[in-house]
Amino acid sequence: MRRLILSLCLLAFSTTIVAAQQYELVLEGGRVMDPETGLDGVRNVGIRDGKIARVSSEALSGRRIVHAGGLVVAPGFIDLHQHGQDLESQRVKALDGVTTALELEIGVPDVAQFLKSKEGHSLIHYGTAASHAAARAQVFGAPLPAEPATTHAGIPEILPKSGPATDQPATPEQIESMRERLRAELDAGGLAVGMGIQYTPGATRLEVIDMFRLAAERRLPVYTHARSTGRAEPGSSVEAISEVIGAAAITGASLHIVHINSTCLRDSLECLSLMEGARARGLDVTTEAYPYIAGMTSINSALFNPGWREKLGISYGDLVLPDTGEHLTKERFDELHNSSTTYGVLIFANTQEVVDKVIPHPLVMIASDGAKGHPRNAGTYSRVLAQYVRDKGTLTLMDALRKMTLMPAQMLERSTPAARQKGRLQEGADADIVVFDPSTIRDQATFEKPMEPSTGVHYLVVGGTLLVDEGKVVPDVYPGHALLGPGKIGSGKGL
Ligand SMILES: [Zn+2]
């Protein structure tokens, strides 16, 4: 009996010791919000081994305690559409609450090279699609550089310059070579097939369908920038959205249409209703938007092939160079469009009214399309929280968080089971967490100062490591890991 009491005492003592040191990090007393379960209450969050180990009303102890009273504790934001993969861009993304930023719209020219270059050197989680545009450029004998150089205004060289590789139709043999290249890129860890159809106008409807077939064969989604913009037929945005919905229906591939705001402009709500119709018929079609009236792209790309002014309903003066604020003239446009250097250009083609209707729409996820030169790189998420949740009141905080966390995580689940652990503030989920002040969070980036970091994110946890501490990025920590597609996970190298 005495021995039993003694061992019970010992057990109690050792449990106390364990409890006292249980967590590496504790976020204490914050307003914990999880869009999947609907949890919205004051809790303590215990983090260990890169995971959320405990979400509790009880006091938790740990090596580091972060006092989160008055702050929101939510899953870190997941950006499905981020071109700027450099450290400077990752730094401003972190201060905007982003813990995962993926290049899925276009994809990088060489998946293996990209993943190798990021390993151990990434602030936040990363990943990429296999690029149809790069495969096409290669097949046409004009390959893109494997390591996209940061060029003028920070636009990475992921798009081919307008020319035969973008404008000519491919032979059946060339299409088969593209498919082979994409299979190899998916085997290297690509999460999806990325297709910027507007940047490869020579791709026929059949070439597009053949790429969707390849994605379907791998049970992976297609992320696409659709073929065209505007109201003029043929080639309206409604036609472009119908084309990719048709390709999804024909092949069975899941479809994610990027930036519905900039593809459909004043017909954005019409395009959303096409997607609602497709979804009601059982198709897997999703979309995203960013909260700005201007877009940005490479000025020597095929998007600016003849006819662009009529399609976009704008003229030379609506194109603006990011670093200087210079509005273009016809002469200046011709010079830059024909240059072999890739210049980024801002395109002012949308209205605030359209953007204000698109962002709160229930189908729309938030994604930035970010790269240096455009404020969406640094400000997208804080801007939605400041403008739509706080100022206009057209979104609840929980719905905004859903668009930034759970919805993109669920989209990513089509590519990797690792995404089931993301976008959730739950026990067992990855410890990717943003802690922000909902009453002050605000974007600071402008078209004049596009890399100005947002304010209001007090802490950011990436894979269990504090990357932002008391509003500052912690130097010399690189907690970002790769999100890999099944080609690589199958070989046992998944996250
Ligand atoms: Zn795009």
Side-chain angles (χ1 to χ4, degrees):
M1 189 61 184
R2 232 166 71 200
R3 185 182 277 180
L4 179 65
I5 289 170
L6 186 67
S7 40
L8 278 175
C9 286
L10 272 175
L11 184 67
F13 181 66
S14 57
T15 318
T16 314
I17 300 260
V18 170
Q21 304 179 331
Q22 213 166 9
Y23 303 104
E24 291 157 18
L25 174 65
V26 170
L27 308 174
E28 191 179 73
R31 178 183 171 192
V32 173
M33 298 185 72
D34 176 51
E36 188 167 58
T37 58
L39 171 64
D40 180 359
V42 173
R43 297 285 189 282
N44 304 309
V45 178
I47 293 161
R48 190 170 47 211
D49 299 331
K51 297 279 180 187
I52 298 171
R54 191 95 170 100
V55 179
S56 173
S57 305
E58 294 161 26
L60 304 177
S61 49
R63 278 210 296 274
R64 168 82 194 270
I65 306 281
V66 161
H67 300 286
L71 304 176
V72 166
V73 177
F77 306 146
I78 298 172
D79 192 345
L80 298 178
H81 188 162
Q82 170 66 15
H83 300 301
Q85 293 284 332
D86 53 288
L87 287 172
E88 250 183 295
S89 291
Q90 289 195 331
R91 195 177 163 277
V92 292
K93 309 278 331 168
L95 291 166
D96 203 32
V98 176
T99 50
T100 301
L102 309 162
E103 164 58 86
L104 294 175
E105 178 199 29
I106 305 292
V108 298
D110 187 324
V111 171
Q113 175 69 29
F114 169 78
L115 294 172
K116 201 169 136 228
S117 72
K118 306 281 300 172
E119 201 173 344
H121 298 285
S122 194
L123 301 184
I124 56 180
H125 304 313
Y126 55 92
T128 180
S131 168
H132 164 253
R136 196 173 209 279
Q138 192 185 47
V139 166
F140 274 81
L144 293 170
E147 186 104 52
T150 294
T151 57
H152 200 79
I155 293 223
E157 217 169 330
I158 51 168
L159 292 172
K161 178 174 158 40
S162 171
T166 60
D167 295 0
Q168 282 180 10
T171 63
E173 294 73 30
Q174 285 177 314
I175 290 177
E176 198 40 51
S177 297
M178 286 177 217
R179 286 157 54 91
E180 268 164 36
R181 170 75 188 169
L182 287 175
R183 282 191 190 100
E185 290 292 270
L186 293 172
D187 287 342
L191 288 159
V193 173
M195 293 191 80
I197 305 173
Q198 193 165 18
Y199 297 105
T200 57
T204 59
R205 304 303 193 265
L206 189 57
E207 179 177 329
V208 170
I209 289 168
D210 277 341
M211 299 307 136
F212 272 68
R213 283 184 174 133
L214 170 72
E217 169 193 306
R218 294 294 182 103
R219 295 177 190 274
L220 287 172
V222 175
Y223 286 71
T224 186
H225 173 136
R227 187 182 291 276
S228 53
T229 302
R231 284 187 170 166
E233 299 287 10
S236 68
S237 57
V238 168
E239 183 193 83
I241 298 303
S242 304
E243 177 189 5
V244 286
I245 289 176
I250 292 161
T251 62
S254 296
L255 167 65
H256 183 82
I257 299 171
V258 303
H259 52 46
I260 199 76
N261 53 310
S262 67
T263 288
C264 293
L265 300 173
R266 59 197 162 137
D267 290 321
S268 291
L269 290 184
E270 209 52 72
C271 288
L272 283 163
S273 85
L274 302 189
M275 296 176 59
E276 283 174 327
R279 289 169 61 88
R281 251 55 69 187
L283 293 180
D284 186 15
V285 185
T286 59
T287 193
E288 55 165 68
Y290 56 81
Y292 295 87
I293 58 166
M296 183 175 73
T297 197
S298 311
I299 197 164
N300 60 4
S301 72
L303 190 137
F304 291 108
N305 280 1
W308 64 269
R309 285 180 301 155
E310 295 73 17
K311 280 177 163 301
L312 293 168
I314 59 171
S315 195
Y316 299 104
D318 298 307
L319 303 183
V320 177
L321 291 184
D323 351 358
T324 57
E326 176 189 346
H327 289 250
L328 300 191
T329 58
K330 181 181 183 317
E331 292 67 36
R332 191 79 167 112
F333 170 83
D334 288 342
E335 181 192 334
L336 297 173
H337 180 59
N338 296 322
S339 168
S340 57
T341 309
T342 300
Y343 291 90
V345 68
L346 296 162
I347 311 167
F348 285 85
N350 215 343
T351 66
Q352 195 62 48
E353 196 190 350
V354 168
V355 175
D356 289 351
K357 282 183 184 150
V358 169
I359 296 294
H361 191 286
L363 264 191
V364 172
M365 304 176 203
I366 305 303
S368 76
D369 196 1
K372 283 184 211 162
H374 192 303
R376 65 193 177 188
N377 196 36
T380 289
Y381 293 85
S382 300
R383 187 175 176 89
V384 169
L385 294 169
Q387 290 202 352
Y388 297 93
V389 176
R390 197 169 60 231
D391 298 348
K392 299 186 172 84
T394 50
L395 260 180
T396 67
L397 180 53
M398 189 64 97
D399 283 341
L401 293 177
R402 185 189 318 280
K403 289 167 175 285
M404 299 171 178
T405 61
L406 183 65
M407 287 170 72
Q410 287 172 333
M411 182 59 215
L412 273 175
E413 286 169 32
R414 278 97 159 164
S415 298
T416 168
R420 286 189 211 129
Q421 313 305 323
K422 300 213 170 286
R424 279 93 170 169
L425 204 308
Q426 297 166 23
E427 290 179 3
D430 290 346
D432 296 337
I433 303 172
V434 57
V435 181
F436 65 92
D437 186 338
S439 64
T440 64
I441 192 164
R442 185 170 290 284
D443 57 304
Q444 304 290 345
T446 61
F447 287 104
E448 290 73 35
K449 285 188 163 184
M451 287 293 274
E452 205 64 18
S454 300
T455 48
V457 169
H458 290 218
Y459 301 94
L460 193 79
V461 183
V462 178
T465 299
L466 266 178
L467 177 64
V468 175
D469 193 350
E470 294 181 2
K472 299 225 161 38
V473 176
V474 179
D476 302 323
V477 296
Y478 298 95
H481 284 285
L483 272 163
L484 302 174
K488 200 71 178 174
I489 289 173
S491 63
K493 288 200 72 185
L495 185 73

